Amino acid sequence: MSIDLSQVPHHPALEEMVEVLCTKAQENNRNFFRIMLAYFMGKVASSMRATVVSKDIGEIPVNIYSLAFATSGFGKGRSIYTVENEFLGGFKERFLEDTYKMISEQSLWQIANKKAANEGTNPQEEFDKFLKEFNNFGPYLPEFDSGTSPATKDLRQKLLMGQIGSINMQIDEIGYYLEKEMELLTLFLELYDQGMVKRKLVKNTSDNRRSEERHGKTPANMLLFGTPTKLFDGNTTEKAFYGLLESGYARRCLFGYVKEKSRTSKGKSAEEIFKTLISPSNSQVILKWANRFENLADPSMVNWSMEVPDDVSIARIQYQMECEELADAMSEHEDIRKAEMAHRHFKALKLAGAFAFVDGSSQVLMEHLMSAIKLVEESGEAFKMVLSRDPTYVKLAKFIASTKTEVTHADLTEALPFYRGGKQTRDDMMTLAVSWGYKNNIIVKKSFGDGIEFFTGETLDETDIDKIRISYSDNWAYGYLPEEQPFDQLHVLTQAKDMHWATHHFKNGHRAKENVIPGFNMIVIDVDGTATLDQAHDLLADYKFLTSTTKSHTPESHRFRILLPMNYRLKLDELEYKEFMNSVLAWLPFETDQNANQNSKKWSSFDGGTYHYNLDGDLFDALPFIPKTRRNEEFQQRNQELGSLPSLERWFAQRMGGEGSGRNNQMIKYALILVDSGLSLGDVEMHVKAFNRKMKHPMDDSEIDGSIMVTVAKKVHQRLTQMAA
């Protein structure tokens, strides 16, 4: 976007009131408060029938629809109480007691005088009849939290007669009331743009007589707020909400969304918090804006019209063009996002009008528009979070991972409304949850007991490279000390004298399989003469690793260990660990000691060995090797397809895709490994071409001769030169 919003301030009234609300709620997150206050500023302006007039759009009412969600305990109710009673209490009292009564009476007299003049009747008698009709509609409700469409239309008729006030709906815990208020919410779709609505035709009888149709505009404001969990229930309420967004609320609403609380009280003492809460600055700000809003209730502010200068209109059009361009670039299936994006300019204009009215300005200035655009863009970011809701199977996976005990189907049905349904539906959802979980660092495990299926889950912790889990002792079985050490310091342990070490911790320090405490973030591989150190270093160059030679290592037969830190800390039982390590060992490009698949295995240090670090690579990705996961199944299937290949060829075949330079590069690496193993140029060429013929998409021999073998020849020549020297 061409506008640098980082340099644009929020409107002073908005931000100063937000500061007070944040202080009172001890909360850092401002998004909810800004969107909520935008509604109240729109409510003030529309109550006084403020309008924005521009040459390109014409006259539109100032009104705001806000949807704001925050977690339980955020302070939603308390903040709204503060705004209504402390910031706007004076405005409401003056408006209802003075301005509303004065303007509505004047309007009734205008209607009465006009009719009396047209029909030659008595003005007082006409006034009395209109006053009775006006009062029959019931008292004016400055805001309501429920209702019916006919009652709202009656309220609208009253406001049309009085030519003052607005229709304002405020619903707390909208997730609970949404489906109950669908009729009213549908009506509010019509009211947003111009405050106009079509009447429903009903039979005219003596018991049900249609009142005289009155034409005009009655601005409407709406604030829906609550906790997101009640709205996004994965069931009918959530579906109804997204149906409303699709039907038009996406383009009409400003959005606030707070997923997590961000307390300002953290690290503060009770005394410090108390002083913050009673700070005189809070009262000063409240008094300042309370007086401003009370002054806005003056009858002289009724029907306040604010012109939009040409340069401001041009800036709004530029913003509209940029939003529409972004909307057009979205995929066709993103209808809701496209609608919200394309109409941001209109929401910004209405909001700019609210800012201008609060300032008492007769014009919508550039700073009003820029501040409005800034908040509308923040609303857009919140709207993204609203749309990026978790599917039901994701919610299921996260719920299971968050529980500390085993849960059954009955437990899940009781806790999660969306889990209710037939067995096939639940099984399908659980399958998707397990699959998603393994791809997103959540493991869901199943077990059976007395014919009942139990589920447990955990969220995988990412490995801190400075906290590699080890235990060590000078005894082969007892006294193992549990520690977490930086990876780049593990050579101190591998090169120590007469020490034993393992990758797991043990109960009471006793190394035995029954005492293993699940949880490891590093694997160890033993290589006994099946590869050289240089080959291992080259083949594993993409990973962080440490190699350490053993006591039996010789220049002719390399024997060493490879320590590979993993990207996650896994908690696997004995059988799962064995399956995990068997997959890892099958993946490696050289033969290794199969006893590494025991979770209680220990290794001996050797103070006379050498070691080598590669700290530039990535952490070993453990996810494809975790048993009973989709990724492991994919790995096993791929490995089975390549099972006839030797381990070194299989290693490179797994890295080769279709045609392209990636395949060429992998084949060169394979050839150079053969050179390092001591093969002649002719033998390398024979092996490379034989390997190439086994590929699904083999290269032409000319490509091998003209590219790969040229590189190989240079490497062979270099090796022979070094040997001769």
Side-chain angles (χ1 to χ4, degrees):
M1 187 166 292
S2 60
I3 305 171
D4 183 8
L5 294 175
S6 64
Q7 304 303 314
V8 174
H10 282 289
H11 188 271
L14 184 77
E15 208 60 3
E16 290 183 27
M17 289 190 289
V18 165
E19 187 65 36
V20 172
L21 297 179
C22 285
T23 300
K24 286 179 172 289
Q26 293 292 290
E27 178 61 49
N28 278 317
N29 198 309
R30 295 167 174 261
N31 179 251
F32 176 91
F33 297 132
R34 285 174 180 152
I35 298 302
M36 178 262 288
L37 282 168
Y39 156 79
F40 281 108
M41 294 172 78
K43 179 181 174 183
V44 166
S46 59
S47 294
M48 301 296 287
R49 297 296 178 90
T51 57
V52 169
V53 182
S54 65
K55 295 177 183 177
D56 55 316
I57 291 182
E59 183 181 79
I60 62 170
V62 176
N63 63 303
I64 303 294
Y65 284 14
S66 289
L67 273 162
F69 308 109
T71 55
S72 179
F74 182 80
K76 299 179 291 293
R78 180 171 54 184
S79 63
I80 288 176
Y81 177 87
T82 299
V83 174
E84 290 184 321
N85 293 277
E86 297 187 48
F87 283 113
L88 299 181
F91 170 86
K92 185 175 183 179
E93 182 177 356
R94 184 179 182 186
F95 174 79
L96 292 176
E97 295 300 321
D98 299 330
T99 305
Y100 174 78
K101 291 180 179 180
M102 178 191 304
I103 300 301
S104 59
E105 184 176 353
Q106 290 176 359
S107 177
L108 291 177
W109 271 112
Q110 289 174 359
I111 298 171
N113 288 332
K114 182 178 180 180
K115 185 171 184 180
N118 291 336
E119 300 183 5
T121 55
N122 184 285
Q124 182 65 55
E125 291 179 357
E126 295 294 348
F127 175 81
D128 290 341
K129 286 191 293 184
F130 284 122
L131 179 61
K132 181 179 180 181
E133 180 185 349
F134 183 78
N135 290 333
N136 283 342
F137 284 120
Y140 170 57
L141 295 178
E143 65 276 327
F144 53 89
D145 61 6
S146 62
T148 65
S149 179
T152 305
K153 291 181 178 180
D154 282 349
L155 172 60
R156 184 172 180 274
Q157 288 296 305
K158 183 181 182 74
L159 297 181
L160 284 171
M161 294 182 72
Q163 292 298 301
I164 186 71
S166 57
I167 304 172
N168 308 305
M169 179 168 65
Q170 296 175 210
I171 303 181
D172 188 5
E173 288 303 348
I174 183 60
Y176 180 78
Y177 293 103
L178 181 76
E179 294 181 89
K180 300 177 182 178
E181 300 299 335
M182 286 300 293
E183 178 191 9
L184 200 54
L185 290 167
T186 302
L187 176 65
F188 264 70
L189 284 171
E190 294 184 66
L191 287 168
Y192 176 76
D193 290 336
Q194 290 285 352
M196 302 178 72
V197 65
K198 295 180 178 65
R199 297 196 68 191
K200 184 177 180 181
L201 182 64
V202 295
K203 186 177 180 181
N204 193 28
T205 66
S206 58
D207 296 326
N208 183 28
R209 302 191 65 85
R210 293 193 297 270
S211 60
E212 181 182 347
E213 177 72 36
R214 301 192 183 280
H215 302 283
K217 302 176 181 180
T218 49
N221 300 279
M222 183 182 70
L223 173 63
L224 309 179
F225 64 103
T227 56
T229 52
K230 289 188 178 180
L231 184 64
F232 306 126
D233 64 348
N235 212 321
T236 56
T237 300
E238 184 173 341
K239 292 178 182 177
F241 173 68
Y242 283 97
L244 285 175
L245 292 181
E246 191 171 11
S247 65
Y249 271 104
R251 78 167 180 86
R252 290 167 170 83
C253 292
L254 297 175
F255 296 89
Y257 194 44
V258 178
K259 283 189 174 182
E260 296 180 356
K261 295 189 286 289
S262 177
R263 293 299 192 194
T264 60
S265 56
K266 286 185 178 180
K268 293 183 179 180
S269 66
E271 183 179 359
E272 289 173 326
I273 296 172
F274 177 72
K275 288 181 178 179
T276 302
L277 293 173
I278 66 170
S279 171
S281 62
N282 295 331
S283 300
Q284 292 168 3
V285 172
I286 291 173
L287 181 61
K288 170 186 174 180
W289 292 108
N291 289 335
R292 170 70 66 83
F293 286 119
E294 185 174 351
N295 291 335
L296 292 175
D298 189 89
S300 64
M301 297 297 294
V302 175
N303 295 320
W304 190 261
S305 179
M306 296 162 287
E307 293 185 358
V308 182
D310 292 351
D311 62 329
V312 177
S313 288
I314 292 171
R316 184 203 60 78
I317 293 172
Q318 180 63 39
Y319 179 55
Q320 176 182 356
M321 292 169 60
E322 293 183 14
C323 289
E324 289 175 346
E325 184 177 348
L326 291 171
D328 290 341
M330 294 177 184
S331 302
E332 286 299 321
H333 69 276
E334 298 179 288
D335 292 342
I336 299 178
R337 283 192 64 203
K338 288 167 74 77
E340 190 278 330
M341 176 63 74
H343 290 84
R344 287 184 184 181
H345 69 98
F346 195 61
K347 292 187 277 191
L349 183 58
K350 284 179 175 280
L351 182 58
F355 291 160
F357 181 78
V358 170
D359 287 346
S361 174
S362 60
Q363 290 187 324
V364 177
L365 303 177
M366 188 66 76
E367 53 261 35
H368 295 138
L369 179 64
M370 291 298 105
S371 292
I373 290 176
K374 185 180 181 75
L375 187 57
V376 168
E377 287 297 303
E378 290 180 1
S379 161
E381 291 302 311
F383 185 62
K384 283 184 187 177
M385 292 193 286
V386 170
L387 287 186
S388 61
R389 69 197 188 283
D390 289 335
T392 52
Y393 60 85
V394 174
K395 294 179 182 178
L396 175 60
K398 289 182 176 180
F399 177 82
I400 295 175
S402 68
T403 58
K404 304 301 181 183
T405 58
E406 292 181 325
V407 292
T408 65
H409 285 291
D411 298 326
L412 294 173
T413 300
E414 183 177 350
L416 306 173
F418 58 81
Y419 195 69
R420 297 159 192 166
K423 181 179 184 303
Q424 187 61 50
T425 300
R426 294 198 309 268
D427 288 346
D428 290 344
M429 192 184 303
M430 184 62 71
T431 299
L432 290 173
V434 171
S435 299
W436 179 89
Y438 278 124
K439 288 187 175 182
N440 293 272
N441 314 333
I442 290 177
I443 294 180
V444 177
K445 298 179 181 178
K446 300 179 184 180
S447 61
F448 289 88
D450 296 329
I452 300 174
E453 193 172 17
F454 293 90
F455 302 93
T456 57
E458 64 171 308
T459 300
L460 298 178
D461 295 326
E462 292 188 1
T463 293
D464 182 343
I465 197 66
D466 291 326
K467 294 182 178 179
I468 299 299
R469 179 167 287 205
I470 57 168
S471 60
Y472 59 92
S473 173
D474 58 2
N475 185 281
W476 68 277
Y478 297 96
Y480 276 78
L481 299 175
E483 285 194 6
E484 292 181 336
Q485 292 291 332
F487 178 69
D488 60 8
Q489 296 300 309
L490 289 187
H491 67 280
V492 176
L493 178 60
T494 64
Q495 310 306 118
K497 185 177 181 179
D498 298 331
M499 296 297 293
H500 306 276
W501 54 276
T503 58
H504 282 78
H505 293 172
F506 303 96
K507 297 175 184 177
N508 302 317
H510 179 196
R511 188 182 65 83
K513 62 181 182 180
E514 63 271 16
N515 292 331
V516 171
I517 299 173
F520 67 103
N521 56 7
M522 182 177 70
I523 59 175
V524 181
I525 298 161
D526 266 325
V527 181
D528 293 325
T530 55
T532 67
L533 282 166
D534 287 341
Q535 287 174 338
H537 296 166
D538 288 341
L539 290 165
L540 298 174
D542 292 337
Y543 303 97
K544 282 183 171 62
F545 65 79
L546 163 64
T547 56
S548 176
T549 58
T550 67
K551 187 178 296 185
S552 56
H553 172 76
T554 66
E556 296 75 26
S557 181
H558 289 199
R559 289 180 167 82
F560 54 94
R561 296 191 181 102
I562 304 172
L563 286 68
L564 281 167
M566 307 188 307
N567 54 351
Y568 296 105
R569 180 164 67 89
L570 304 182
K571 295 180 180 179
L572 305 179
D573 61 28
E574 181 184 2
L575 181 58
E576 291 171 334
Y577 184 84
K578 187 171 184 176
E579 292 181 34
F580 171 84
M581 285 303 301
N582 285 343
S583 292
V584 173
L585 299 179
W587 164 79
L588 289 166
F590 37 74
E591 300 300 321
T592 62
D593 183 359
Q594 298 299 302
N595 288 327
N597 63 9
Q598 301 171 22
N599 61 356
S600 61
K601 183 174 175 59
K602 64 90 177 175
W603 289 268
S604 299
S605 60
F606 176 46
D607 59 339
T610 61
Y611 65 91
H612 170 82
Y613 278 107
N614 180 41
L615 298 177
D616 295 329
D618 298 325
L619 293 175
F620 174 74
D621 184 8
L623 297 182
F625 306 98
I626 301 175
K628 302 179 182 65
T629 69
R630 177 178 294 180
R631 290 188 63 177
N632 185 237
E633 290 174 358
E634 293 171 353
F635 165 78
Q636 297 287 2
Q637 181 178 355
R638 176 67 171 157
N639 216 36
Q640 188 174 2
E641 292 172 356
L642 302 173
S644 61
L645 297 179
S647 57
L648 183 62
E649 291 183 359
R650 186 169 63 247
W651 172 270
F652 285 103
Q654 289 172 342
R655 287 157 175 73
M656 292 183 185
E659 301 177 2
S661 60
R663 179 183 60 171
N664 188 289
N665 291 336
Q666 290 298 327
M667 190 64 82
I668 289 175
K669 290 181 180 179
Y670 169 71
L672 295 180
I673 289 292
L674 297 178
V675 173
D676 289 338
S677 68
L679 293 183
S680 66
L681 180 62
D683 288 340
V684 171
E685 181 179 3
M686 181 185 66
H687 280 82
V688 167
K689 289 184 176 180
F691 178 33
N692 180 57
R693 287 192 293 271
K694 299 174 185 177
M695 295 295 95
K696 187 175 182 180
H697 302 285
M699 293 181 284
D700 293 336
D701 281 355
S702 59
E703 185 178 356
I704 294 176
D705 294 335
S707 174
I708 296 171
M709 293 312 301
V710 171
T711 303
V712 171
K714 292 179 181 179
K715 184 67 179 288
V716 171
H717 177 72
Q718 181 183 3
R719 187 188 69 183
L720 294 174
T721 302
Q722 291 173 347
M723 291 175 61

